[in-house]
mmCIF file of all heavy atoms in Angstrom:
data_model
loop_
_atom_site.group_PDB
_atom_site.id
_atom_site.type_symbol
_atom_site.label_atom_id
_atom_site.label_comp_id
_atom_site.label_asym_id
_atom_site.label_seq_id
_atom_site.Cartn_x
_atom_site.Cartn_y
_atom_site.Cartn_z
ATOM 1 N N HIS A 1 184.371 135.895 10.651
ATOM 2 C CA HIS A 1 185.191 134.746 10.712
ATOM 3 C C HIS A 1 184.643 133.606 9.860
ATOM 4 O O HIS A 1 185.291 132.535 9.703
ATOM 5 C CB HIS A 1 185.377 134.215 12.190
ATOM 6 C CG HIS A 1 186.172 135.128 13.033
ATOM 7 N ND1 HIS A 1 185.624 136.155 13.756
ATOM 8 C CD2 HIS A 1 187.550 135.059 13.326
ATOM 9 C CE1 HIS A 1 186.634 136.739 14.485
ATOM 10 N NE2 HIS A 1 187.719 136.063 14.202
ATOM 11 N N GLU A 2 183.457 133.814 9.322
ATOM 12 C CA GLU A 2 182.736 132.788 8.662
ATOM 13 C C GLU A 2 183.461 132.134 7.455
ATOM 14 O O GLU A 2 183.634 130.915 7.324
ATOM 15 C CB GLU A 2 181.369 133.177 8.106
ATOM 16 C CG GLU A 2 180.425 132.079 7.804
ATOM 17 C CD GLU A 2 178.999 132.565 7.582
ATOM 18 O OE1 GLU A 2 178.781 133.790 7.580
ATOM 19 O OE2 GLU A 2 178.066 131.679 7.582
ATOM 20 N N ALA A 3 184.127 132.956 6.583
ATOM 21 C CA ALA A 3 184.934 132.471 5.437
ATOM 22 C C ALA A 3 186.008 131.622 6.005
ATOM 23 O O ALA A 3 186.276 130.535 5.392
ATOM 24 C CB ALA A 3 185.397 133.659 4.679
ATOM 25 N N LYS A 4 186.706 132.025 7.004
ATOM 26 C CA LYS A 4 187.832 131.177 7.536
ATOM 27 C C LYS A 4 187.334 129.937 8.167
ATOM 28 O O LYS A 4 188.041 128.857 7.980
ATOM 29 C CB LYS A 4 188.578 131.990 8.601
ATOM 30 C CG LYS A 4 189.779 131.408 9.088
ATOM 31 C CD LYS A 4 190.599 132.220 10.144
ATOM 32 C CE LYS A 4 191.808 131.445 10.713
ATOM 33 N NZ LYS A 4 192.503 132.269 11.786
ATOM 34 N N ILE A 5 186.198 129.952 8.837
ATOM 35 C CA ILE A 5 185.633 128.703 9.427
ATOM 36 C C ILE A 5 185.353 127.669 8.358
ATOM 37 O O ILE A 5 185.732 126.568 8.450
ATOM 38 C CB ILE A 5 184.377 129.113 10.239
ATOM 39 C CG1 ILE A 5 184.742 129.963 11.437
ATOM 40 C CG2 ILE A 5 183.606 127.819 10.681
ATOM 41 C CD1 ILE A 5 183.569 130.523 12.219
ATOM 42 N N LEU A 6 184.644 128.187 7.248
ATOM 43 C CA LEU A 6 184.319 127.252 6.230
ATOM 44 C C LEU A 6 185.532 126.763 5.519
ATOM 45 O O LEU A 6 185.622 125.510 5.107
ATOM 46 C CB LEU A 6 183.393 127.954 5.204
ATOM 47 C CG LEU A 6 181.964 128.342 5.718
ATOM 48 C CD1 LEU A 6 181.247 129.274 4.755
ATOM 49 C CD2 LEU A 6 181.175 127.041 6.006
ATOM 50 N N GLU A 7 186.561 127.581 5.296
ATOM 51 C CA GLU A 7 187.771 127.202 4.615
ATOM 52 C C GLU A 7 188.486 126.146 5.453
ATOM 53 O O GLU A 7 188.931 125.113 4.867
ATOM 54 C CB GLU A 7 188.679 128.458 4.494
ATOM 55 C CG GLU A 7 189.914 128.094 3.815
ATOM 56 C CD GLU A 7 190.980 129.321 3.754
ATOM 57 O OE1 GLU A 7 190.490 130.455 3.971
ATOM 58 O OE2 GLU A 7 192.075 129.020 3.694
ATOM 59 N N GLU A 8 188.680 126.275 6.740
ATOM 60 C CA GLU A 8 189.278 125.262 7.521
ATOM 61 C C GLU A 8 188.489 123.994 7.583
ATOM 62 O O GLU A 8 189.009 122.854 7.593
ATOM 63 C CB GLU A 8 189.597 125.833 8.998
ATOM 64 C CG GLU A 8 190.553 126.938 9.019
ATOM 65 C CD GLU A 8 190.912 127.253 10.405
ATOM 66 O OE1 GLU A 8 190.708 126.466 11.348
ATOM 67 O OE2 GLU A 8 191.571 128.333 10.632
ATOM 68 N N TYR A 9 187.212 124.080 7.634
ATOM 69 C CA TYR A 9 186.299 123.015 7.672
ATOM 70 C C TYR A 9 186.450 122.100 6.465
ATOM 71 O O TYR A 9 186.640 120.923 6.582
ATOM 72 C CB TYR A 9 184.836 123.329 7.894
ATOM 73 C CG TYR A 9 183.922 122.162 7.758
ATOM 74 C CD1 TYR A 9 183.837 121.211 8.772
ATOM 75 C CD2 TYR A 9 183.047 122.106 6.625
ATOM 76 C CE1 TYR A 9 182.904 120.129 8.581
ATOM 77 C CE2 TYR A 9 182.182 121.096 6.531
ATOM 78 C CZ TYR A 9 182.042 120.075 7.499
ATOM 79 O OH TYR A 9 181.144 119.024 7.336
ATOM 80 N N GLN A 10 186.446 122.802 5.284
ATOM 81 C CA GLN A 10 186.607 122.132 4.001
ATOM 82 C C GLN A 10 187.950 121.559 3.776
ATOM 83 O O GLN A 10 188.187 120.454 3.267
ATOM 84 C CB GLN A 10 186.198 123.072 2.783
ATOM 85 C CG GLN A 10 184.768 123.546 2.770
ATOM 86 C CD GLN A 10 183.870 122.352 2.469
ATOM 87 O OE1 GLN A 10 184.197 121.302 1.987
ATOM 88 N NE2 GLN A 10 182.525 122.611 2.861
ATOM 89 N N ARG A 11 188.937 122.268 4.311
ATOM 90 C CA ARG A 11 190.421 121.760 4.174
ATOM 91 C C ARG A 11 190.685 120.478 4.818
ATOM 92 O O ARG A 11 191.269 119.545 4.325
ATOM 93 C CB ARG A 11 191.309 122.871 4.684
ATOM 94 C CG ARG A 11 192.824 122.540 4.498
ATOM 95 C CD ARG A 11 193.594 123.577 5.312
ATOM 96 N NE ARG A 11 193.338 123.327 6.764
ATOM 97 C CZ ARG A 11 193.694 124.297 7.613
ATOM 98 N NH1 ARG A 11 194.097 125.420 7.308
ATOM 99 N NH2 ARG A 11 193.419 123.992 8.959
ATOM 100 N N ASP A 12 190.082 120.321 6.130
ATOM 101 C CA ASP A 12 190.284 119.197 6.898
ATOM 102 C C ASP A 12 189.334 118.048 6.693
ATOM 103 O O ASP A 12 189.472 116.975 7.220
ATOM 104 C CB ASP A 12 190.402 119.529 8.425
ATOM 105 C CG ASP A 12 191.419 120.456 8.748
ATOM 106 O OD1 ASP A 12 192.444 120.515 7.911
ATOM 107 O OD2 ASP A 12 191.372 121.201 9.770
ATOM 108 N N LYS A 13 188.203 118.324 5.933
ATOM 109 C CA LYS A 13 187.164 117.336 5.758
ATOM 110 C C LYS A 13 187.752 116.051 5.044
ATOM 111 O O LYS A 13 188.442 116.218 4.023
ATOM 112 C CB LYS A 13 186.030 118.008 4.912
ATOM 113 C CG LYS A 13 184.790 117.162 4.867
ATOM 114 C CD LYS A 13 183.648 117.836 4.188
ATOM 115 C CE LYS A 13 182.416 117.088 4.080
ATOM 116 N NZ LYS A 13 181.297 117.754 3.461
ATOM 117 N N GLY A 14 187.390 114.939 5.599
ATOM 118 C CA GLY A 14 187.859 113.644 5.018
ATOM 119 C C GLY A 14 189.311 113.222 5.405
ATOM 120 O O GLY A 14 189.714 112.179 4.967
ATOM 121 N N THR A 15 189.945 114.104 6.180
ATOM 122 C CA THR A 15 191.304 113.683 6.621
ATOM 123 C C THR A 15 191.242 113.385 8.135
ATOM 124 O O THR A 15 190.276 113.403 8.786
ATOM 125 C CB THR A 15 192.237 114.998 6.518
ATOM 126 O OG1 THR A 15 191.885 115.966 7.481
ATOM 127 C CG2 THR A 15 192.039 115.604 5.102
ATOM 128 N N ARG A 16 192.413 112.923 8.690
ATOM 129 C CA ARG A 16 192.514 112.519 9.970
ATOM 130 C C ARG A 16 192.294 113.677 10.975
ATOM 131 O O ARG A 16 191.977 113.656 12.201
ATOM 132 C CB ARG A 16 193.908 111.965 10.334
ATOM 133 C CG ARG A 16 193.963 110.542 9.670
ATOM 134 C CD ARG A 16 195.511 110.118 9.889
ATOM 135 N NE ARG A 16 195.779 109.909 11.293
ATOM 136 C CZ ARG A 16 196.993 109.713 11.857
ATOM 137 N NH1 ARG A 16 198.024 109.651 10.929
ATOM 138 N NH2 ARG A 16 197.195 109.620 13.145
ATOM 139 N N MET A 17 192.423 114.878 10.398
ATOM 140 C CA MET A 17 192.260 116.148 11.181
ATOM 141 C C MET A 17 190.781 116.731 11.113
ATOM 142 O O MET A 17 190.510 117.701 11.697
ATOM 143 C CB MET A 17 193.239 117.250 10.697
ATOM 144 C CG MET A 17 194.648 116.876 10.692
ATOM 145 S SD MET A 17 195.300 116.731 12.365
ATOM 146 C CE MET A 17 195.267 118.469 12.841
ATOM 147 N N GLU A 18 189.895 115.938 10.482
ATOM 148 C CA GLU A 18 188.502 116.414 10.366
ATOM 149 C C GLU A 18 187.885 116.777 11.662
ATOM 150 O O GLU A 18 188.015 116.000 12.713
ATOM 151 C CB GLU A 18 187.736 115.472 9.601
ATOM 152 C CG GLU A 18 186.276 115.932 9.373
ATOM 153 C CD GLU A 18 185.467 114.909 8.494
ATOM 154 O OE1 GLU A 18 186.032 113.941 8.023
ATOM 155 O OE2 GLU A 18 184.241 115.241 8.330
ATOM 156 N N ARG A 19 187.272 117.997 11.671
ATOM 157 C CA ARG A 19 186.506 118.402 12.903
ATOM 158 C C ARG A 19 185.089 118.821 12.383
ATOM 159 O O ARG A 19 184.938 119.179 11.152
ATOM 160 C CB ARG A 19 187.152 119.535 13.481
ATOM 161 C CG ARG A 19 188.466 119.323 14.119
ATOM 162 C CD ARG A 19 189.149 120.582 14.677
ATOM 163 N NE ARG A 19 189.469 121.524 13.561
ATOM 164 C CZ ARG A 19 189.921 122.804 13.711
ATOM 165 N NH1 ARG A 19 189.923 123.249 14.931
ATOM 166 N NH2 ARG A 19 190.336 123.442 12.705
ATOM 167 N N THR A 20 184.129 118.783 13.313
ATOM 168 C CA THR A 20 182.796 119.310 12.948
ATOM 169 C C THR A 20 182.868 120.875 12.714
ATOM 170 O O THR A 20 183.852 121.493 13.297
ATOM 171 C CB THR A 20 181.823 119.031 14.057
ATOM 172 O OG1 THR A 20 182.104 119.788 15.162
ATOM 173 C CG2 THR A 20 181.731 117.566 14.277
ATOM 174 N N ILE A 21 181.971 121.389 11.956
ATOM 175 C CA ILE A 21 181.985 122.862 11.797
ATOM 176 C C ILE A 21 181.851 123.623 13.033
ATOM 177 O O ILE A 21 182.412 124.671 13.244
ATOM 178 C CB ILE A 21 180.974 123.259 10.676
ATOM 179 C CG1 ILE A 21 181.278 124.679 10.201
ATOM 180 C CG2 ILE A 21 179.512 123.192 11.285
ATOM 181 C CD1 ILE A 21 180.553 125.095 8.947
ATOM 182 N N GLN A 22 181.114 122.970 13.979
ATOM 183 C CA GLN A 22 180.960 123.654 15.354
ATOM 184 C C GLN A 22 182.277 123.667 16.060
ATOM 185 O O GLN A 22 182.595 124.743 16.674
ATOM 186 C CB GLN A 22 179.988 122.806 16.136
ATOM 187 C CG GLN A 22 178.482 122.924 15.697
ATOM 188 C CD GLN A 22 178.158 121.889 14.580
ATOM 189 O OE1 GLN A 22 179.061 121.157 14.165
ATOM 190 N NE2 GLN A 22 176.971 121.922 14.077
ATOM 191 N N GLU A 23 183.112 122.642 15.991
ATOM 192 C CA GLU A 23 184.451 122.655 16.618
ATOM 193 C C GLU A 23 185.307 123.679 15.930
ATOM 194 O O GLU A 23 186.078 124.392 16.712
ATOM 195 C CB GLU A 23 185.066 121.237 16.581
ATOM 196 C CG GLU A 23 184.341 120.171 17.400
ATOM 197 C CD GLU A 23 184.846 118.741 17.158
ATOM 198 O OE1 GLU A 23 185.252 118.475 15.975
ATOM 199 O OE2 GLU A 23 184.775 117.981 18.066
ATOM 200 N N VAL A 24 185.285 123.743 14.637
ATOM 201 C CA VAL A 24 186.094 124.809 13.979
ATOM 202 C C VAL A 24 185.700 126.149 14.435
ATOM 203 O O VAL A 24 186.547 127.017 14.708
ATOM 204 C CB VAL A 24 186.068 124.638 12.439
ATOM 205 C CG1 VAL A 24 186.890 125.809 11.711
ATOM 206 C CG2 VAL A 24 186.515 123.273 12.056
ATOM 207 N N ALA A 25 184.405 126.478 14.506
ATOM 208 C CA ALA A 25 183.952 127.770 14.855
ATOM 209 C C ALA A 25 184.263 128.109 16.295
ATOM 210 O O ALA A 25 184.700 129.252 16.600
ATOM 211 C CB ALA A 25 182.390 127.779 14.735
ATOM 212 N N LEU A 26 184.206 127.163 17.192
ATOM 213 C CA LEU A 26 184.560 127.484 18.627
ATOM 214 C C LEU A 26 186.022 127.860 18.688
ATOM 215 O O LEU A 26 186.436 128.733 19.499
ATOM 216 C CB LEU A 26 184.324 126.184 19.468
ATOM 217 C CG LEU A 26 182.855 126.101 19.918
ATOM 218 C CD1 LEU A 26 182.598 124.669 20.575
ATOM 219 C CD2 LEU A 26 182.442 127.087 20.897
ATOM 220 N N ALA A 27 186.840 127.066 17.912
ATOM 221 C CA ALA A 27 188.344 127.375 18.024
ATOM 222 C C ALA A 27 188.738 128.687 17.349
ATOM 223 O O ALA A 27 189.636 129.350 17.711
ATOM 224 C CB ALA A 27 189.076 126.196 17.310
ATOM 225 N N THR A 28 187.881 129.106 16.344
ATOM 226 C CA THR A 28 188.213 130.300 15.674
ATOM 227 C C THR A 28 187.613 131.573 16.190
ATOM 228 O O THR A 28 188.348 132.563 16.302
ATOM 229 C CB THR A 28 187.661 130.153 14.158
ATOM 230 O OG1 THR A 28 188.116 129.038 13.535
ATOM 231 C CG2 THR A 28 188.062 131.384 13.283
ATOM 232 N N CYS A 29 186.390 131.594 16.607
ATOM 233 C CA CYS A 29 185.794 132.774 17.131
ATOM 234 C C CYS A 29 185.118 132.693 18.449
ATOM 235 O O CYS A 29 184.552 133.681 19.005
ATOM 236 C CB CYS A 29 184.845 133.504 16.234
ATOM 237 S SG CYS A 29 183.284 132.665 16.037
ATOM 238 N N GLY A 30 185.213 131.514 19.113
ATOM 239 C CA GLY A 30 184.734 131.373 20.487
ATOM 240 C C GLY A 30 183.240 130.796 20.625
ATOM 241 O O GLY A 30 182.854 130.412 21.713
ATOM 242 N N PHE A 31 182.553 130.695 19.476
ATOM 243 C CA PHE A 31 181.205 130.122 19.492
ATOM 244 C C PHE A 31 180.769 129.700 18.115
ATOM 245 O O PHE A 31 181.365 130.140 17.095
ATOM 246 C CB PHE A 31 180.234 131.141 20.141
ATOM 247 C CG PHE A 31 180.144 132.511 19.359
ATOM 248 C CD1 PHE A 31 179.368 132.690 18.288
ATOM 249 C CD2 PHE A 31 180.909 133.555 19.848
ATOM 250 C CE1 PHE A 31 179.397 133.828 17.661
ATOM 251 C CE2 PHE A 31 180.938 134.750 19.153
ATOM 252 C CZ PHE A 31 180.185 134.935 18.044
ATOM 253 N N TYR A 32 179.709 128.902 18.092
ATOM 254 C CA TYR A 32 179.113 128.532 16.759
ATOM 255 C C TYR A 32 177.747 129.176 16.673
ATOM 256 O O TYR A 32 176.957 129.163 17.620
ATOM 257 C CB TYR A 32 179.016 127.056 16.691
ATOM 258 C CG TYR A 32 178.167 126.576 15.514
ATOM 259 C CD1 TYR A 32 178.614 126.727 14.150
ATOM 260 C CD2 TYR A 32 176.941 125.991 15.650
ATOM 261 C CE1 TYR A 32 177.839 126.343 13.111
ATOM 262 C CE2 TYR A 32 176.174 125.556 14.560
ATOM 263 C CZ TYR A 32 176.597 125.822 13.230
ATOM 264 O OH TYR A 32 175.867 125.319 12.197
ATOM 265 N N LEU A 33 177.428 129.795 15.532
ATOM 266 C CA LEU A 33 176.157 130.412 15.353
ATOM 267 C C LEU A 33 175.320 129.652 14.396
ATOM 268 O O LEU A 33 175.493 129.687 13.125
ATOM 269 C CB LEU A 33 176.398 131.798 14.801
ATOM 270 C CG LEU A 33 175.262 132.902 14.943
ATOM 271 C CD1 LEU A 33 174.979 133.145 16.444
ATOM 272 C CD2 LEU A 33 175.630 134.210 14.292
ATOM 273 N N PRO A 34 174.348 128.885 14.813
ATOM 274 C CA PRO A 34 173.405 128.146 13.883
ATOM 275 C C PRO A 34 172.658 129.009 13.118
ATOM 276 O O PRO A 34 172.438 130.223 13.468
ATOM 277 C CB PRO A 34 172.642 127.217 14.925
ATOM 278 C CG PRO A 34 172.636 128.031 16.178
ATOM 279 C CD PRO A 34 173.905 128.748 16.255
ATOM 280 N N GLU A 35 172.000 128.522 12.003
ATOM 281 C CA GLU A 35 171.243 129.341 11.069
ATOM 282 C C GLU A 35 169.986 130.073 11.838
ATOM 283 O O GLU A 35 169.730 131.217 11.463
ATOM 284 C CB GLU A 35 170.675 128.507 9.990
ATOM 285 C CG GLU A 35 171.741 128.105 8.919
ATOM 286 C CD GLU A 35 172.417 129.401 8.353
ATOM 287 O OE1 GLU A 35 171.676 130.350 7.985
ATOM 288 O OE2 GLU A 35 173.680 129.444 8.176
ATOM 289 N N ASN A 36 169.374 129.314 12.770
ATOM 290 C CA ASN A 36 168.261 129.982 13.396
ATOM 291 C C ASN A 36 168.604 130.966 14.441
ATOM 292 O O ASN A 36 167.717 131.646 15.116
ATOM 293 C CB ASN A 36 167.367 128.886 14.120
ATOM 294 C CG ASN A 36 168.049 128.259 15.306
ATOM 295 O OD1 ASN A 36 169.246 128.256 15.394
ATOM 296 N ND2 ASN A 36 167.267 127.647 16.182
ATOM 297 N N ALA A 37 169.938 131.246 14.551
ATOM 298 C CA ALA A 37 170.395 132.307 15.533
ATOM 299 C C ALA A 37 171.009 133.499 14.669
ATOM 300 O O ALA A 37 171.465 134.427 15.361
ATOM 301 C CB ALA A 37 171.397 131.809 16.469
ATOM 302 N N ARG A 38 170.906 133.389 13.385
ATOM 303 C CA ARG A 38 171.462 134.515 12.559
ATOM 304 C C ARG A 38 170.511 135.691 12.688
ATOM 305 O O ARG A 38 169.212 135.559 12.700
ATOM 306 C CB ARG A 38 171.589 134.081 11.008
ATOM 307 C CG ARG A 38 172.435 132.858 10.827
ATOM 308 C CD ARG A 38 173.809 133.057 11.416
ATOM 309 N NE ARG A 38 174.614 134.010 10.796
ATOM 310 C CZ ARG A 38 175.628 133.768 9.839
ATOM 311 N NH1 ARG A 38 175.945 132.501 9.591
ATOM 312 N NH2 ARG A 38 176.271 134.693 9.338
ATOM 313 N N TYR A 39 171.084 136.830 12.834
ATOM 314 C CA TYR A 39 170.318 138.070 13.127
ATOM 315 C C TYR A 39 169.247 138.398 12.087
ATOM 316 O O TYR A 39 168.142 138.663 12.351
ATOM 317 C CB TYR A 39 171.190 139.217 13.332
ATOM 318 C CG TYR A 39 170.523 140.379 14.179
ATOM 319 C CD1 TYR A 39 170.598 140.240 15.580
ATOM 320 C CD2 TYR A 39 169.828 141.407 13.596
ATOM 321 C CE1 TYR A 39 169.943 141.257 16.377
ATOM 322 C CE2 TYR A 39 169.233 142.433 14.389
ATOM 323 C CZ TYR A 39 169.254 142.314 15.775
ATOM 324 O OH TYR A 39 168.679 143.324 16.508
ATOM 325 N N ASP A 40 169.630 138.308 10.766
ATOM 326 C CA ASP A 40 168.698 138.608 9.704
ATOM 327 C C ASP A 40 167.508 137.629 9.667
ATOM 328 O O ASP A 40 166.485 138.036 9.374
ATOM 329 C CB ASP A 40 169.520 138.635 8.397
ATOM 330 C CG ASP A 40 170.384 139.827 8.181
ATOM 331 O OD1 ASP A 40 170.136 140.812 8.934
ATOM 332 O OD2 ASP A 40 171.147 139.855 7.317
ATOM 333 N N TYR A 41 167.820 136.386 9.993
ATOM 334 C CA TYR A 41 166.734 135.389 10.077
ATOM 335 C C TYR A 41 165.676 135.791 11.113
ATOM 336 O O TYR A 41 164.480 135.833 10.808
ATOM 337 C CB TYR A 41 167.249 134.013 10.415
ATOM 338 C CG TYR A 41 166.318 133.030 10.825
ATOM 339 C CD1 TYR A 41 165.582 132.306 9.810
ATOM 340 C CD2 TYR A 41 166.005 132.636 12.053
ATOM 341 C CE1 TYR A 41 164.593 131.407 10.207
ATOM 342 C CE2 TYR A 41 165.099 131.783 12.528
ATOM 343 C CZ TYR A 41 164.320 131.165 11.530
ATOM 344 O OH TYR A 41 163.404 130.177 11.901
ATOM 345 N N LEU A 42 166.203 136.223 12.335
ATOM 346 C CA LEU A 42 165.246 136.601 13.371
ATOM 347 C C LEU A 42 164.519 137.879 13.077
ATOM 348 O O LEU A 42 163.379 138.105 13.310
ATOM 349 C CB LEU A 42 166.036 136.780 14.746
ATOM 350 C CG LEU A 42 166.647 135.430 15.241
ATOM 351 C CD1 LEU A 42 167.647 135.747 16.272
ATOM 352 C CD2 LEU A 42 165.515 134.561 15.815
ATOM 353 N N LEU A 43 165.282 138.866 12.505
ATOM 354 C CA LEU A 43 164.656 140.129 12.082
ATOM 355 C C LEU A 43 163.619 140.004 11.103
ATOM 356 O O LEU A 43 162.578 140.679 11.139
ATOM 357 C CB LEU A 43 165.845 141.038 11.494
ATOM 358 C CG LEU A 43 165.431 142.456 11.157
ATOM 359 C CD1 LEU A 43 164.977 143.289 12.301
ATOM 360 C CD2 LEU A 43 166.607 143.182 10.533
ATOM 361 N N ASN A 44 163.686 139.089 10.112
ATOM 362 C CA ASN A 44 162.828 139.029 9.017
ATOM 363 C C ASN A 44 161.736 137.970 9.026
ATOM 364 O O ASN A 44 161.069 137.732 8.046
ATOM 365 C CB ASN A 44 163.558 138.823 7.632
ATOM 366 C CG ASN A 44 164.557 140.025 7.335
ATOM 367 O OD1 ASN A 44 164.080 141.171 7.459
ATOM 368 N ND2 ASN A 44 165.807 139.751 7.005
ATOM 369 N N LEU A 45 161.556 137.340 10.238
ATOM 370 C CA LEU A 45 160.497 136.414 10.435
ATOM 371 C C LEU A 45 159.175 137.078 10.236
ATOM 372 O O LEU A 45 159.014 138.226 10.653
ATOM 373 C CB LEU A 45 160.580 135.736 11.869
ATOM 374 C CG LEU A 45 161.603 134.755 12.159
ATOM 375 C CD1 LEU A 45 161.792 134.416 13.674
ATOM 376 C CD2 LEU A 45 161.323 133.490 11.358
ATOM 377 N N PRO A 46 158.159 136.344 9.649
ATOM 378 C CA PRO A 46 156.925 137.016 9.470
ATOM 379 C C PRO A 46 156.119 137.196 10.716
ATOM 380 O O PRO A 46 156.350 136.413 11.787
ATOM 381 C CB PRO A 46 156.173 136.024 8.510
ATOM 382 C CG PRO A 46 156.873 134.741 8.837
ATOM 383 C CD PRO A 46 158.243 135.051 9.123
ATOM 384 N N GLY A 47 155.234 138.250 10.836
ATOM 385 C CA GLY A 47 154.471 138.438 11.996
ATOM 386 C C GLY A 47 155.274 139.127 13.168
ATOM 387 O O GLY A 47 156.423 139.415 12.995
#
């Protein structure tokens, strides 16, 4: 859903309909996934 989330966020940015990216994510797929919760980030941490 990430491409759609970013698209909707950019589309409404600066308008009266503007929402935070977290709000767009919740409405689109039910949750927001911050960078530090991305699986590849956790998998590839050193040590």
